[in-house]
mmCIF file of all heavy atoms in Angstrom:
data_model
loop_
_atom_site.group_PDB
_atom_site.id
_atom_site.type_symbol
_atom_site.label_atom_id
_atom_site.label_comp_id
_atom_site.label_asym_id
_atom_site.label_seq_id
_atom_site.Cartn_x
_atom_site.Cartn_y
_atom_site.Cartn_z
ATOM 1 N N LEU B 128 -1.181 -15.379 -17.832
ATOM 2 C CA LEU B 128 -1.233 -16.883 -17.691
ATOM 3 C C LEU B 128 -2.620 -17.440 -18.024
ATOM 4 O O LEU B 128 -3.496 -16.715 -17.982
ATOM 5 C CB LEU B 128 -0.850 -17.281 -16.201
ATOM 6 C CG LEU B 128 0.564 -16.845 -15.768
ATOM 7 C CD1 LEU B 128 0.639 -17.088 -14.244
ATOM 8 C CD2 LEU B 128 1.598 -17.583 -16.532
ATOM 9 N N SER B 129 -2.622 -18.780 -18.124
ATOM 10 C CA SER B 129 -3.832 -19.407 -18.250
ATOM 11 C C SER B 129 -4.200 -20.143 -16.940
ATOM 12 O O SER B 129 -3.310 -20.376 -16.113
ATOM 13 C CB SER B 129 -3.774 -20.535 -19.393
ATOM 14 O OG SER B 129 -3.482 -19.864 -20.694
ATOM 15 N N GLU B 130 -5.441 -20.460 -16.765
ATOM 16 C CA GLU B 130 -5.800 -21.167 -15.489
ATOM 17 C C GLU B 130 -5.000 -22.423 -15.312
ATOM 18 O O GLU B 130 -4.725 -23.160 -16.264
ATOM 19 C CB GLU B 130 -7.320 -21.520 -15.430
ATOM 20 C CG GLU B 130 -8.200 -20.309 -15.090
ATOM 21 C CD GLU B 130 -9.547 -20.771 -14.761
ATOM 22 O OE1 GLU B 130 -10.101 -21.686 -15.343
ATOM 23 O OE2 GLU B 130 -10.138 -20.111 -13.752
ATOM 24 N N ASP B 131 -4.649 -22.658 -14.043
ATOM 25 C CA ASP B 131 -3.808 -23.848 -13.660
ATOM 26 C C ASP B 131 -2.367 -23.661 -13.995
ATOM 27 O O ASP B 131 -1.532 -24.633 -13.581
ATOM 28 C CB ASP B 131 -4.344 -25.170 -14.290
ATOM 29 C CG ASP B 131 -5.796 -25.429 -13.793
ATOM 30 O OD1 ASP B 131 -6.088 -25.145 -12.592
ATOM 31 O OD2 ASP B 131 -6.554 -25.984 -14.621
ATOM 32 N N ASP B 132 -1.945 -22.555 -14.579
ATOM 33 C CA ASP B 132 -0.524 -22.328 -14.760
ATOM 34 C C ASP B 132 0.194 -22.036 -13.487
ATOM 35 O O ASP B 132 -0.506 -21.640 -12.437
ATOM 36 C CB ASP B 132 -0.239 -21.122 -15.764
ATOM 37 C CG ASP B 132 -0.370 -21.507 -17.241
ATOM 38 O OD1 ASP B 132 -0.590 -22.760 -17.469
ATOM 39 O OD2 ASP B 132 -0.412 -20.637 -18.039
ATOM 40 N N PHE B 133 1.540 -22.116 -13.369
ATOM 41 C CA PHE B 133 2.325 -21.824 -12.305
ATOM 42 C C PHE B 133 2.711 -20.288 -12.308
ATOM 43 O O PHE B 133 3.026 -19.733 -13.372
ATOM 44 C CB PHE B 133 3.660 -22.647 -12.313
ATOM 45 C CG PHE B 133 4.600 -22.277 -11.254
ATOM 46 C CD1 PHE B 133 4.374 -22.559 -9.919
ATOM 47 C CD2 PHE B 133 5.857 -21.685 -11.656
ATOM 48 C CE1 PHE B 133 5.383 -22.276 -8.976
ATOM 49 C CE2 PHE B 133 6.714 -21.295 -10.662
ATOM 50 C CZ PHE B 133 6.484 -21.612 -9.275
ATOM 51 N N LEU B 134 2.577 -19.649 -11.226
ATOM 52 C CA LEU B 134 2.942 -18.215 -11.070
ATOM 53 C C LEU B 134 4.197 -18.055 -10.321
ATOM 54 O O LEU B 134 4.406 -18.690 -9.242
ATOM 55 C CB LEU B 134 1.794 -17.501 -10.324
ATOM 56 C CG LEU B 134 2.036 -16.071 -9.948
ATOM 57 C CD1 LEU B 134 2.100 -15.188 -11.185
ATOM 58 C CD2 LEU B 134 0.931 -15.515 -8.983
ATOM 59 N N PHE B 135 4.947 -17.083 -10.901
ATOM 60 C CA PHE B 135 6.225 -16.717 -10.215
ATOM 61 C C PHE B 135 6.481 -15.281 -10.490
ATOM 62 O O PHE B 135 6.611 -14.879 -11.639
ATOM 63 C CB PHE B 135 7.423 -17.571 -10.689
ATOM 64 C CG PHE B 135 8.704 -17.340 -9.983
ATOM 65 C CD1 PHE B 135 8.996 -18.042 -8.828
ATOM 66 C CD2 PHE B 135 9.635 -16.416 -10.455
ATOM 67 C CE1 PHE B 135 10.131 -17.806 -8.131
ATOM 68 C CE2 PHE B 135 10.851 -16.187 -9.822
ATOM 69 C CZ PHE B 135 11.138 -16.932 -8.596
ATOM 70 N N ILE B 136 6.451 -14.460 -9.450
ATOM 71 C CA ILE B 136 6.681 -13.048 -9.605
ATOM 72 C C ILE B 136 7.926 -12.701 -8.787
ATOM 73 O O ILE B 136 8.104 -12.955 -7.637
ATOM 74 C CB ILE B 136 5.530 -12.191 -9.041
ATOM 75 C CG1 ILE B 136 4.209 -12.551 -9.786
ATOM 76 C CG2 ILE B 136 5.863 -10.718 -9.330
ATOM 77 C CD1 ILE B 136 3.038 -11.749 -9.335
ATOM 78 N N ASN B 137 8.863 -11.964 -9.548
ATOM 79 C CA ASN B 137 10.126 -11.538 -8.976
ATOM 80 C C ASN B 137 10.059 -10.377 -8.140
ATOM 81 O O ASN B 137 9.310 -9.329 -8.458
ATOM 82 C CB ASN B 137 11.156 -11.337 -10.006
ATOM 83 C CG ASN B 137 11.603 -12.499 -10.748
ATOM 84 O OD1 ASN B 137 12.064 -13.511 -10.114
ATOM 85 N ND2 ASN B 137 11.641 -12.519 -12.114
ATOM 86 N N CYS B 138 10.843 -10.296 -6.987
ATOM 87 C CA CYS B 138 10.871 -9.083 -6.276
ATOM 88 C C CYS B 138 12.269 -9.153 -5.530
ATOM 89 O O CYS B 138 12.751 -10.200 -5.012
ATOM 90 C CB CYS B 138 9.836 -9.053 -5.156
ATOM 91 S SG CYS B 138 10.051 -7.649 -4.020
ATOM 92 N N THR B 139 13.053 -8.093 -5.675
ATOM 93 C CA THR B 139 14.296 -7.977 -4.888
ATOM 94 C C THR B 139 14.305 -6.684 -4.074
ATOM 95 O O THR B 139 13.526 -5.715 -4.392
ATOM 96 C CB THR B 139 15.532 -7.892 -5.850
ATOM 97 O OG1 THR B 139 15.353 -6.823 -6.729
ATOM 98 C CG2 THR B 139 15.641 -9.134 -6.694
ATOM 99 N N TYR B 140 15.070 -6.742 -2.971
ATOM 100 C CA TYR B 140 14.981 -5.575 -2.056
ATOM 101 C C TYR B 140 16.366 -5.164 -1.648
ATOM 102 O O TYR B 140 17.304 -5.989 -1.831
ATOM 103 C CB TYR B 140 14.158 -5.988 -0.860
ATOM 104 C CG TYR B 140 14.723 -6.963 0.036
ATOM 105 C CD1 TYR B 140 15.606 -6.743 1.032
ATOM 106 C CD2 TYR B 140 14.421 -8.404 -0.228
ATOM 107 C CE1 TYR B 140 16.133 -7.764 1.854
ATOM 108 C CE2 TYR B 140 15.011 -9.382 0.541
ATOM 109 C CZ TYR B 140 15.855 -9.076 1.629
ATOM 110 O OH TYR B 140 16.456 -10.051 2.360
ATOM 111 N N SER B 141 16.440 -3.981 -1.084
ATOM 112 C CA SER B 141 17.705 -3.487 -0.550
ATOM 113 C C SER B 141 17.413 -2.754 0.714
ATOM 114 O O SER B 141 16.497 -1.948 0.781
ATOM 115 C CB SER B 141 18.343 -2.552 -1.481
ATOM 116 O OG SER B 141 19.482 -1.879 -0.987
ATOM 117 N N THR B 142 18.074 -3.198 1.777
ATOM 118 C CA THR B 142 17.903 -2.562 3.098
ATOM 119 C C THR B 142 19.067 -2.800 3.999
ATOM 120 O O THR B 142 19.771 -3.744 3.783
ATOM 121 C CB THR B 142 16.640 -3.072 3.863
ATOM 122 O OG1 THR B 142 16.420 -2.377 5.041
ATOM 123 C CG2 THR B 142 16.667 -4.520 4.066
ATOM 124 N N THR B 143 19.351 -1.837 4.885
ATOM 125 C CA THR B 143 20.376 -2.091 5.877
ATOM 126 C C THR B 143 19.972 -2.651 7.196
ATOM 127 O O THR B 143 20.728 -2.903 8.016
ATOM 128 C CB THR B 143 21.112 -0.682 6.133
ATOM 129 O OG1 THR B 143 20.127 0.235 6.627
ATOM 130 C CG2 THR B 143 21.724 -0.163 4.819
ATOM 131 N N THR B 144 18.630 -2.852 7.275
ATOM 132 C CA THR B 144 18.132 -3.413 8.499
ATOM 133 C C THR B 144 17.565 -4.818 8.218
ATOM 134 O O THR B 144 17.595 -5.318 7.130
ATOM 135 C CB THR B 144 16.971 -2.510 9.035
ATOM 136 O OG1 THR B 144 15.922 -2.480 8.143
ATOM 137 C CG2 THR B 144 17.505 -1.125 9.349
ATOM 138 N N TYR B 145 17.137 -5.433 9.340
ATOM 139 C CA TYR B 145 16.459 -6.744 9.104
ATOM 140 C C TYR B 145 15.131 -6.548 8.376
ATOM 141 O O TYR B 145 14.313 -5.785 8.931
ATOM 142 C CB TYR B 145 16.292 -7.435 10.482
ATOM 143 C CG TYR B 145 17.603 -7.931 11.145
ATOM 144 C CD1 TYR B 145 18.118 -7.197 12.235
ATOM 145 C CD2 TYR B 145 18.227 -8.957 10.680
ATOM 146 C CE1 TYR B 145 19.291 -7.523 12.760
ATOM 147 C CE2 TYR B 145 19.510 -9.396 11.300
ATOM 148 C CZ TYR B 145 19.971 -8.641 12.316
ATOM 149 O OH TYR B 145 21.134 -9.024 12.898
#
Side-chain angles (χ1 to χ4, degrees):
Chain B
L128 298 172
S129 299
E130 281 198 321
D131 298 324
D132 279 352
F133 174 71
L134 170 68
F135 186 85
I136 301 177
N137 288 311
C138 175
T139 57
Y140 66 90
S141 174
T142 181
T143 56
T144 61
Y145 292 106

